Amino acid sequence: MTTRRATITDVAALAGVSVATASKALNGKDDVRATTRQLVIDAATQLSFQPNVLAQGLLSGQTRTVGLLTSDMVGRFGIPVLLGAENAFGAGEMAVLLCDARGDAIREQHYIRTLLSRRVDGLIVVGESTNPRPSITKDVPVPVVYAYAPSDDPADVSFVPDDEGGARLAVRHLIATGRTRIAHITGPTDYKAATDRDRGIRGTLDEAGLELAGETLYGAWSQRWGRLAADMLLLNEPKLDAVFCGNDQIAAGFIEAARERGRRVPDDIAVIGYDNWEVLSEETRPTLTTIDPDLERLGHTAAQHLFAAIDGKATPGVHSMPTRLVIRDSTAPSMPEL
Amino acid sequence: MTTRRATITDVAALAGVSVATASKALNGKDDVRATTRQLVIDAATQLSFQPNVLAQGLLSGQTRTVGLLTSDMVGRFGIPVLLGAENAFGAGEMAVLLCDARGDAIREQHYIRTLLSRRVDGLIVVGESTNPRPSITKDVPVPVVYAYAPSDDPADVSFVPDDEGGARLAVRHLIATGRTRIAHITGPTDYKAATDRDRGIRGTLDEAGLELAGETLYGAWSQRWGRLAADMLLLNEPKLDAVFCGNDQIAAGFIEAARERGRRVPDDIAVIGYDNWEVLSEETRPTLTTIDPDLERLGHTAAQHLFAAIDGKATPGVHSMPTRLVIRDSTAPSMPEL
DNA sequence: CTACGTTACGAAAACCTTTTAGGTGATTTC
DNA sequence: GAAATCACCTAAAAGGTTTTCGTAACGTAG
């Protein structure tokens, strides 16, 4: 177990050639006879030789390593993004150095220094909300790509979920299934996701000649708020036939409260959530129609664009990534005059 | 941005000393005059010099990097463990190479090779259940520590949550608050966590001269199963006054079904969950008393022991990590004869 | 003044790989 | 028969850092 690992010198010696030839043989370069190459390869496998990545990196200046700087892994959104990114990097034979700054700017600075001293080839910054975050691109001599939370500098490369589009998708689905009096319950106003979606909803309703039922109810991202808002809404908007909820938790709360008030979902009221958080959206009764922001794909795409940026082909700007509508039971078509 | 990074040679030149002296000055070695040292340090800061970790690693044979091999980041349990580990490594100036094998043995092998070719100093393997997993220690020339899922080789170093102890904690709490007819709803039988906890429950009941109410109900880890099991249990065990649920989802389902059957929680029946998954345990009505397996600490401890193992001080065996009882509203003391 | 110890610094080797420039022997070309 | 070409291989340098060893300069004891 503690036996020294074989170097290319050992391989060359065993194969009876020089180090240079061994290197060329193993790296598929020309100028080496087929028989010689086989000799070297055999020697390498026999010694289970693996080139020292440090020495390679020292020489080439490339480490084939990227830093993954996440601001808060406890939250729900960073993980899938990170997962998608990790997957893309793994396929590209890149290694991922993971750093969780826990939303602390000091920790973030510390980690940036650490990553740079390790000579990462690039950096991917994963946020926890879609609110823009401070750019670090200018402080760093390698390409940076932002995922989920965009950089506040529009010249940087950012990938964000298309919240406005997701909301449009949802509302079009509600309208297509015969709903006309649609309300909106969502999280706090200082979340860009909440206001973006509100814009999408109002735009889509407008195009259909409809209006939002009541005012947008801004609150919290919790089930508790979903219940509370449901109580208010069911009282004030008796003719309500659909509600768009800012996340699946709010939707779950709404469904719960609606049933307690004797309203049937989806027969009386259709409910649509956001995030497609499956532990919730598949456990509500009825199961929850929701918008899936496809975060894993977002992370994957961001990683691929970091590759491109490392190769000098950056694509600046804030890129909106499409969302998907996942139809379950909470939005079955209403049957008017039944 | 593309300006070449400063090397120690640049620093030495600027300070007017040799490379060797510069190195010694920066690394706090003796044999360098205080004034000279300051000169070097000033030069280094002026050039914002950062030593090339590759060169250091090449020389020392240590990369100050560990591999973090997780089998399934999608699940809920790997993340906190991973988080605790990352935190410990960050503090120790170690970097973490993240690999998610997604429960696929082929991917795992691939990642192990990759990590070894990067000369990691050690490996931490994070599982998704507490069932033992195949050991990789013998295939790998560096120390390995297993977290959450133990290795199937007892000579390896593993850290697992103390499920039996957690169950004891829960049952003692129920008994202390006056409950005597306690049932157990949990996940599938092939989860070691489920059977371990069952053993803990029966042991504790035994010591108190009590018996389990009905048979242990093995099913799934879902809210749906919690509801189903509740319906069965409330029918067959009319005198039931407490239930220990295998996770918070089952508990949430139980609470929901119990309310629909007209049973009050905690007045009629106390409910205790497992995992302290706060998005659920703080959103149920009433909020859920539960066992917190303290996974972040588990990950942290595992990481620290990997350090020790890298320094040659391994601590073989399967180490059970203590759990915590988190008391909320679902287990308020029963008031007999009220 | 010699011998020796101490202090402060520098030269060079070592870590491992890849690449460049060159060298050797054999074959072909004029 | 000399020169050029070709195929194959090797020596050496480069990359950045740390460490070992050597060497001055200087002071002190004899």
Side-chain angles (χ1 to χ4, degrees):
Chain A
M1 158 167 162
T2 335
T3 127
R4 205 176 56 83
R5 270 184 270 227
T7 75
I8 200 171
T9 314
D10 305 328
V11 175
L14 182 59
V17 299
S18 75
V19 202
T21 306
S23 172
K24 278 181 285 198
L26 293 174
N27 293 311
K29 294 292 171 70
D30 292 347
D31 285 1
V32 46
R33 197 164 33 185
T35 59
T36 312
R37 186 187 304 278
Q38 197 53 52
L39 219 60
V40 173
I41 292 176
D42 289 346
T45 40
Q46 184 180 333
L47 298 174
S48 66
F49 165 75
Q50 280 193 309
N52 187 324
V53 181
L54 271 63
Q56 288 178 320
L58 185 56
L59 202 54
S60 68
Q62 297 246 321
T63 53
R64 307 188 60 73
T65 304
V66 299
L68 190 33
L69 194 58
T70 158
S71 50
D72 176 17
M73 277 218 309
V74 179
R76 255 189 2 270
F77 305 114
I79 307 283
V81 178
L82 188 151
L83 214 62
E86 195 272 342
N87 199 25
F89 288 129
E93 299 288 311
M94 283 261 178
V96 176
L97 281 175
L98 174 69
C99 300
D100 182 10
R102 305 188 169 220
D104 177 354
I106 308 280
R107 285 179 74 99
E108 185 171 296
Q109 279 305 317
H110 167 77
Y111 275 131
I112 291 173
R113 293 183 61 85
T114 308
L115 288 171
L116 290 182
S117 84
R118 297 203 172 246
R119 297 299 194 267
V120 292
D121 294 337
L123 229 50
I124 181 162
V125 178
V126 179
E128 259 308 306
S129 86
T130 59
N131 293 20
R133 49 147 294 140
S135 173
I136 61 164
T137 309
K138 48 202 163 304
D139 310 327
V140 155
V142 293
V144 183
V145 167
Y146 301 80
Y148 202 69
S151 158
D152 59 7
D153 182 345
D156 293 343
V157 186
S158 303
F159 291 85
V160 298
D162 181 7
D163 279 306
E164 196 170 331
R168 288 179 170 277
L169 221 54
V171 173
R172 275 202 289 269
H173 170 64
L174 291 175
I175 293 174
T177 51
R179 315 290 175 163
T180 54
R181 301 195 53 80
I182 302 173
H184 183 200
I185 309 174
T186 188
T189 36
D190 57 348
Y191 276 78
K192 189 165 179 298
T195 54
D196 281 354
R197 292 175 200 162
D198 200 52
R199 191 167 347 102
I201 293 170
R202 289 170 189 275
T204 313
L205 287 173
D206 221 46
E207 290 160 14
L210 297 172
E211 281 194 348
L212 194 67
E215 267 314 300
T216 303
L217 294 173
Y218 290 99
W221 296 115
S222 71
Q223 207 160 332
R224 186 182 314 266
W225 164 240
R227 290 194 295 255
L228 197 67
D231 290 343
M232 292 162 50
L233 209 54
L234 295 176
L235 207 66
N236 297 335
E237 302 285 336
K239 305 186 69 179
L240 187 74
D241 65 4
V243 57
F244 173 94
C245 299
N247 71 3
D248 292 346
Q249 283 167 282
I250 295 175
F254 185 94
I255 288 179
E256 205 181 332
R259 187 174 40 236
E260 287 177 5
R261 298 275 167 284
R263 306 294 187 93
R264 291 169 307 165
V265 174
D267 308 73
D268 301 332
I269 302 181
V271 176
I272 190 163
Y274 212 105
D275 295 344
N276 193 26
W277 192 27
E278 298 188 345
V279 288
L280 214 55
S281 55
E282 294 190 335
E283 290 282 350
T284 55
R285 286 177 304 170
T287 57
L288 189 63
T289 296
T290 189
I291 300 294
D292 189 327
D294 224 350
L295 295 181
E296 198 162 331
R297 193 156 81 91
L298 189 151
H300 194 95
T301 309
Q304 287 180 322
H305 280 257
L306 181 56
F307 282 160
I310 290 171
D311 290 343
K313 307 182 202 313
T315 46
V318 176
H319 306 273
S320 276
M321 298 295 295
T323 57
R324 291 184 298 120
L325 172 68
V326 178
I327 300 175
R328 296 202 182 85
D329 299 333
S330 66
T331 59
S334 77
M335 307 180 195
E337 349 292 340
L338 188 74
Chain B
M1 158 169 160
T2 336
T3 128
R4 203 176 57 82
R5 270 184 268 226
T7 75
I8 201 172
T9 314
D10 304 329
V11 175
L14 182 59
V17 299
S18 75
V19 202
T21 307
S23 172
K24 280 180 282 195
L26 293 173
N27 293 311
K29 294 293 169 71
D30 293 347
D31 285 0
V32 47
R33 200 161 35 184
T35 58
T36 313
R37 186 187 303 276
Q38 195 54 51
L39 218 61
V40 174
I41 292 177
D42 289 347
T45 41
Q46 185 180 334
L47 298 174
S48 65
F49 165 74
Q50 281 193 309
N52 186 323
V53 181
L54 272 62
Q56 289 177 319
L58 185 55
L59 203 51
S60 68
Q62 298 246 319
T63 53
R64 306 190 60 73
T65 305
V66 298
L68 190 33
L69 194 58
T70 157
S71 50
D72 178 15
M73 277 218 310
V74 179
R76 260 192 355 274
F77 304 114
I79 306 285
V81 178
L82 189 149
L83 215 62
E86 196 272 342
N87 199 25
F89 289 129
E93 300 289 312
M94 282 259 176
V96 175
L97 281 174
L98 175 69
C99 299
D100 182 11
R102 304 190 169 218
D104 178 353
I106 307 281
R107 285 179 74 99
E108 185 172 294
Q109 279 304 319
H110 167 77
Y111 276 131
I112 290 173
R113 292 184 62 86
T114 309
L115 288 172
L116 289 182
S117 85
R118 298 204 172 244
R119 298 296 195 268
V120 293
D121 294 336
L123 229 52
I124 182 163
V125 178
V126 180
E128 260 307 308
S129 84
T130 58
N131 294 20
R133 50 147 293 142
S135 172
I136 60 164
T137 309
K138 48 201 163 303
D139 310 327
V140 154
V142 293
V144 184
V145 167
Y146 301 80
Y148 201 69
S151 158
D152 58 8
D153 181 345
D156 292 345
V157 187
S158 305
F159 291 84
V160 297
D162 181 7
D163 278 307
E164 196 172 330
R168 288 178 171 277
L169 220 54
V171 173
R172 274 202 290 267
H173 170 65
L174 291 175
I175 293 174
T177 52
R179 314 290 174 163
T180 54
R181 300 195 53 82
I182 303 172
H184 183 200
I185 309 175
T186 188
T189 36
D190 56 348
Y191 275 77
K192 190 164 176 300
T195 53
D196 282 352
R197 291 176 202 162
D198 200 52
R199 191 166 349 104
I201 293 170
R202 289 171 189 274
T204 314
L205 287 174
D206 223 44
E207 289 160 15
L210 296 172
E211 280 195 349
L212 194 68
E215 267 315 298
T216 303
L217 294 172
Y218 290 98
W221 296 115
S222 71
Q223 206 158 334
R224 187 181 313 268
W225 163 240
R227 289 194 295 257
L228 197 66
D231 289 344
M232 293 163 49
L233 210 53
L234 296 176
L235 207 67
N236 297 335
E237 302 286 335
K239 304 187 69 179
L240 188 75
D241 65 3
V243 56
F244 173 95
C245 299
N247 71 2
D248 292 346
Q249 281 168 281
I250 295 175
F254 184 94
I255 288 178
E256 206 181 333
R259 189 174 38 236
E260 287 177 5
R261 297 279 168 281
R263 307 295 187 92
R264 292 169 305 164
V265 174
D267 309 73
D268 300 333
I269 302 181
V271 176
I272 190 162
Y274 211 103
D275 295 343
N276 192 27
W277 193 25
E278 298 188 344
V279 289
L280 214 56
S281 54
E282 294 188 337
E283 291 281 351
T284 55
R285 287 177 303 171
T287 57
L288 189 62
T289 296
T290 188
I291 300 294
D292 189 327
D294 222 351
L295 294 181
E296 199 162 331
R297 194 156 80 91
L298 189 151
H300 194 95
T301 309
Q304 289 180 320
H305 280 258
L306 181 56
F307 282 161
I310 290 171
D311 291 344
K313 306 181 203 312
T315 47
V318 176
H319 306 273
S320 275
M321 299 294 295
T323 57
R324 290 184 300 119
L325 171 67
V326 178
I327 299 176
R328 296 202 182 85
D329 298 336
S330 66
T331 58
S334 77
M335 307 179 196
E337 348 292 340
L338 189 75

